[in-house]
Amino acid sequence: MGATVFVQPLDLVKNRMQLSGQGSKAREYKTSFHALTSILRNEGLGGIYTGLSAGLLRQATYTTTRLGIYTVLFERMSKADGTPPNFFMKALIGMTAGATGAFVGTPAEVALIRMTADG
């Protein structure tokens, strides 16, 4: 979640640039730096943290679900003598945990995109 606080302004710029020029509108931003300076000028310093609450919610839901599912499945797939699963089983466990985390984190991701786009 600490990384989200650091990355949020970059995520905001990325989302705004992706949405810039959608529909019949002309592209609003030429470069990432232009987007960042425009946001700071029009919305102030707090504007670059628009959507931070949704970003933190996304991390809280996605990451905790992913890590929790991975840990539980890893422990269940380990043998009784403590031998860990083989590589392919670990990969399957990781994919399952990632897919479940993505499913759980999607509503917060949608909120994040909507909140960053509203500026």
Side-chain angles (χ1 to χ4, degrees):
M1 290 177 85
T4 299
V5 173
F6 177 75
V7 173
Q8 180 61 32
L10 303 173
D11 202 24
L12 173 78
V13 168
K14 174 196 64 120
N15 289 338
R16 296 272 180 96
M17 288 187 72
Q18 286 176 334
L19 294 171
S20 177
Q22 292 293 317
S24 61
K25 297 189 301 185
R27 282 187 58 181
E28 188 175 353
Y29 308 114
K30 296 175 183 140
T31 65
S32 300
F33 185 72
H34 178 247
L36 182 62
T37 56
S38 294
I39 293 166
L40 284 169
R41 188 178 334 102
N42 296 331
E43 300 173 39
L45 189 59
I48 62 172
Y49 282 99
T50 300
L52 179 62
S53 59
L56 292 172
L57 177 64
R58 179 194 178 277
Q59 285 303 322
T61 56
Y62 168 71
T63 304
T64 55
T65 300
R66 184 172 45 93
L67 293 176
I69 296 289
Y70 183 86
T71 302
V72 168
L73 290 177
F74 187 89
E75 289 172 356
R76 291 206 178 169
M77 297 298 172
S78 294
K79 295 181 179 157
D81 64 355
T83 306
N86 63 32
F87 172 77
F88 293 107
M89 187 55 70
K90 286 180 189 176
L92 183 62
I93 291 169
M95 287 187 279
T96 301
T100 306
F103 180 77
V104 171
T106 295
E109 182 73 28
V110 171
L112 173 63
I113 300 300
R114 296 289 304 262
M115 289 175 78
T116 57
D118 284 345

